[in-house]
Each structure stands twice: as structure tokens, then as C-alpha cells.
Amino acid sequence: MSRPIDNLFAQGVRMVHEEAVEMTISSLRAYWEQHEHKALAWSGGKDSTTLLTLLIHMIEAGLIPKPRVLRVYYADTRQELPQSQAAVDRIMAKLRALDWVNVYIVRAPLDKRFMVYMLGRGIPPPNNGTLRWCTRQIKVDPMTAALAAALDGVDGSVLMLTGVREGESAVRDGRIAMSCSKDGAECGQGWYQQVLPDSPGIRGRVATLAPILHWRVCNIFDWLMIYAPLEQFGGWDTRILIDAYGGDDEARDIAARTGCIGCPLASEDVALNVIVAMPAWDHLTPLLELKPLYRELRKAKHRLRKAEPEILKDGSRSKSGQRGGPLKLESRLWALQQVLDIQRRCNEAAERLGRPGVDILNAEEEARIHELIAARTWPDKWDGSEPSMDAWLDTIHPDGSVEPILFRELVGQ
């Protein structure tokens, strides 16, 4: 292994944690030739961008065999931080100059995009408890559909590379621990799975591999800030991506993660807070209003609820009882105007200062939201006749028993 590593760190450049790269090369070599097709899932974040740029360098340096085609699937959620999107655009331009790399921009269908689904169809903002719909809908499902389309009529299996790392998510780490020895993977060879779960049409034909699973955040920042921008490693414009994590020292200290702007699932929008504190990006301060807006929309006054437990197919009553439901039509219109106003203020300041603007809700999406609201669109099993979630109702339990409202006369019912 010493000779390839010498090639990787040519011209006297050495990495602080060289063993991390050695393990990545071993991981890739262990599974590379087992699959006819090679693909990479790219979110635009620091981890998948590290894997992407490192892999291109390894292939061009002869450390990994050059595939006939490397398919790169960029998951465009339409909710990315401006700095992340700027880095993606520049990296994508370099990728498209390589005749053996095909880049695919993967987006959810119009009606399934974050803003349209929430404000047009009325689905409440996602949460980490009972309604975490966003990740699957705007990332996983579109990526699965794109893979299925690529495999249609093509023989062979796909090795899908991901930038998953331990320590980025407690939930993710739990899945990794449970899958440690799955499909014959050995310690040090990454997180390898031969089946993409819940993926009809591609089951058994796609294996996923996380070859930087073992990398620490310091390795990631070293690569993106120091090595990747150097010509001998590809000359990638990745330093701008570090801005989305608050810069070198601060980002390492807080280990900030980026995601969607104003992510409803994050307890604190650390990356956005750091970004708008920078003089070059303070025109994006209105974006801080998105997270409170999503929190507001989850309140009872903006939603409907079931008057009684649903009757299931077996005749029993739903255990969820009189559950909270979709957003009211008037609340959707109000929220749409708030989002448009936030975007308008950011872009007016950007134009005035000559800085990058934002595009979290375009004209097509806005028009579709208005169309869905005008058509009085509701989620499945809702029709808009349900009572407001903040209305005082007798509680009906799953067993059919009724718990009357106390002090009914005080609420005028």
C-alpha cells in the first residue's frame, strides 16, 4: 500500500491522518470490481463532497480503476444554503468537463417538493417524532427513482457510494452498528450493504458503500480546505463550502452540520446562525425567520383535527385518536406570503450589495401552491370539514368511550 499512498500525496504533500485515506482505498478496492456500474450520491454537504472530489482524484491518479462511466447523482432539495449551492455549481462545472463522469440533478416531483407539499397540500412541517417526511420525500425517493431509471434495460449491478460517516447522527450510528457485519463486510472496509431497503425495481441490483465511514471531522476539513483546492489533487473550489460550516476553526469546534435552510428537524440552525453573522452574508438574515415560521405552523390554531378516532379496515378504532392534521387553507396562504417576503428581502439586499441571492421558492412552485389551495386540496382521508385543532371537543378514546369536556359552559359548547 505504500506506493499508492506516495502517489496520492505526491510533491511532498502529506495528510495529517494518512491511515484514513488508506482505509478508504482499501474499502473501494474491496468492492469496486464486484459491480458493473459505479455511482455516487452527492448531497452537496462536506462529507459527500469530500468523497466525490477524493474519488475523482484517486481515479485520475490510478489508485482506483477508471470506470467506463461514473454516475454522480446530486440531490437538489431546493432548500440548500446559498454557500453550499455555490460550491455545488462550481464543482459540477468541473465534473461535466470529464468525459467519463455523468452528472444527474435529482429533484422531487413538483407536488412533492418541500414548500409545495407543505403549503399546497397542507402537510404540517416535519418533526423528529411522528412526522419526519422530508428526508425520504425530497432526497431518498427521488434518488431511488433516478437509480431505477438508470437501471431500466441495463444489465448488471450498481455500487452506490455515499458520504455517510459515524458521529454525524445518533440514529445513523445506530443503523451502522446494527449493520456492522452485514453482507460479509469486514471491519475497516466501510459500511457495505447489498440491498437498498424498500426499493422495488432496484432491489438486489444496488449495493451501498460508505468508504469514508471512519473519517473524523478534522480529516474532512483538512481535505476540503487544504488538499482538494491544490492542483495536484484536482484544484476543486471547495473552500467556499467551508463558509457554510462557519469557517475553519469555529466549524471544527462546533462540528456544525448543514442541511435545509431553517431545517424543522434541527434543534438549532447552527450553520445558518454562523453564516448570517459573517459580513459577506448578513443580507441573508431574514432566512432566520423560517424556523420560527415552521414552528408557528405546527400550532393548533393553524391546523385541523379528527373529530373522532378513524375506523380501520379491521373495524377497530385508530389508536391515534383525534389526531392533529393538515394546515388550514388560510394558514397556508399566510405562510406562503411570509416565505415570499423572506425571500424578497434577501434578494433585494443581495442585488443592492452585489451578493448571491436565494431561490427557495420559484415562480413555478408558487403558482402550483396557489393552484392546490384554490382547488381545496387536502391530504388523504381529510376533506377540510374537520374541526379546528384548537376547538374544544369531547375526547373519544380508541375503545369508543367518551370523556366529556369539563366546564363545557365556560367554552360555550
Side-chain angles (χ1 to χ4, degrees):
M1 291 297 296
S2 61
R3 188 172 184 80
I5 296 300
D6 286 341
N7 290 338
L8 179 62
F9 298 102
Q11 302 181 28
V13 182
R14 305 294 291 180
M15 199 174 208
V16 175
H17 298 288
E18 190 172 292
E19 65 275 12
V21 179
E22 292 179 352
M23 290 175 68
T24 294
I25 293 175
S26 296
S27 176
L28 289 166
R29 287 176 173 171
Y31 303 106
W32 194 255
E33 300 298 343
Q34 296 182 25
H35 303 276
E36 292 84 351
H37 309 286
K38 315 299 188 296
L40 188 146
W42 181 32
S43 70
K46 67 183 187 303
D47 298 334
S48 62
T49 299
T50 292
L51 175 60
L52 172 61
T53 52
L54 179 65
L55 177 67
I56 297 295
H57 170 69
M58 287 177 171
I59 291 172
E60 293 194 322
L63 301 171
I64 303 296
K66 179 181 290 187
R68 185 177 61 83
V69 175
L70 174 67
R71 295 179 171 88
V72 177
Y73 293 91
Y74 170 59
D76 183 6
T77 66
R78 299 279 298 115
Q79 299 295 307
E80 299 298 330
L81 291 167
Q83 292 90 332
S84 298
Q85 192 60 53
V88 164
D89 293 341
R90 297 178 188 184
I91 292 171
M92 203 175 290
K94 284 182 65 71
L95 291 175
R96 285 179 169 149
L98 301 173
D99 59 8
W100 52 277
V101 177
N102 288 348
V103 180
Y104 303 86
I105 299 177
V106 179
R107 297 189 188 97
L110 182 59
D111 281 7
K112 295 294 186 72
R113 294 181 193 172
F114 184 84
M115 291 292 182
V116 179
Y117 193 65
M118 180 175 65
L119 301 181
R121 194 166 180 82
I123 308 299
N127 64 69
N128 283 312
T130 58
L131 197 66
R132 185 168 181 158
W133 53 263
C134 52
T135 302
R136 171 171 290 278
Q137 184 153 302
I138 64 178
K139 282 190 176 181
V140 177
D141 288 348
M143 192 70 71
T144 300
L147 273 175
L151 286 173
D152 187 27
V154 176
D155 294 330
S157 62
V158 176
L159 179 64
M160 172 61 82
L161 305 176
T162 74
V164 170
R165 285 193 310 112
E166 283 190 289
E168 282 295 285
S169 163
V171 173
R172 181 186 294 167
D173 287 355
R175 292 202 307 269
I176 291 171
M178 289 186 291
S179 305
C180 183
S181 60
K182 185 174 181 177
D183 297 328
E186 298 179 8
C187 182
Q189 289 187 337
W191 182 28
Y192 178 74
Q193 293 183 296
Q194 291 178 343
V195 177
L196 259 179
D198 303 321
S199 306
I202 64 174
R203 184 174 287 114
R205 298 190 62 194
V206 177
T208 59
L209 174 65
I212 62 168
L213 181 72
H214 54 284
W215 281 46
R216 299 174 64 86
V217 70
C218 58
N219 302 132
I220 297 293
F221 278 88
D222 280 347
W223 174 258
L224 293 176
M225 288 199 64
I226 301 172
Y227 300 105
L230 297 175
E231 286 302 319
Q232 59 263 43
F233 296 119
W236 300 98
D237 197 350
T238 52
R239 288 194 180 104
I240 186 174
L241 179 61
I242 300 303
D243 282 346
Y245 295 87
D248 182 18
D249 294 334
E250 186 169 4
R252 291 171 191 253
D253 291 341
I254 64 177
R257 299 180 64 199
T258 64
C260 295
I261 300 172
C263 175
L265 303 179
S267 58
E268 184 181 359
D269 210 341
V270 176
L272 185 57
N273 289 336
V274 171
I275 287 168
V276 299
M278 299 177 183
W281 297 97
D282 59 4
H283 64 291
L284 301 181
T285 299
L287 293 177
L288 293 173
E289 299 170 27
L290 285 172
K291 195 173 185 65
L293 174 62
Y294 300 147
R295 191 177 301 119
E296 172 69 22
L297 286 176
R298 294 201 58 80
K299 292 182 179 179
K301 66 180 181 179
H302 296 293
R303 301 169 60 187
L304 303 180
R305 72 164 167 170
K306 290 292 184 182
E308 58 183 56
E310 295 177 272
I311 304 300
L312 305 179
K313 291 181 179 180
D314 61 2
S316 64
R317 291 173 178 265
S318 168
K319 292 182 179 179
S320 59
Q322 295 157 292
R323 62 188 176 92
L327 300 172
K328 298 175 182 178
L329 296 173
E330 58 270 26
S331 293
R332 298 186 219 173
L333 283 170
W334 170 79
L336 173 60
Q337 295 309 311
Q338 300 305 305
V339 173
L340 290 173
D341 181 63
I342 290 169
Q343 179 169 267
R344 176 189 58 78
R345 285 183 280 137
C346 285
N347 288 337
E348 286 180 353
E351 184 176 0
R352 184 175 66 253
L353 298 168
R355 299 175 183 174
V358 294
D359 177 27
I360 56 177
L361 186 60
N362 62 31
E364 180 188 29
E365 293 159 348
E366 180 188 351
R368 183 56 177 160
I369 291 171
H370 279 295
E371 183 180 344
L372 291 169
I373 293 175
R376 301 184 65 83
T377 306
W378 299 97
D380 294 341
K381 299 182 180 181
W382 298 83
D383 60 19
S385 65
E386 296 82 3
S388 176
M389 193 173 169
D390 61 356
W392 288 52
L393 302 175
D394 292 339
T395 300
I396 303 176
H397 298 287
D399 63 1
S401 61
V402 178
E403 182 181 339
I405 298 174
L406 293 177
F407 312 112
R408 185 184 299 274
E409 65 280 2
L410 296 180
V411 295
Q413 298 184 21

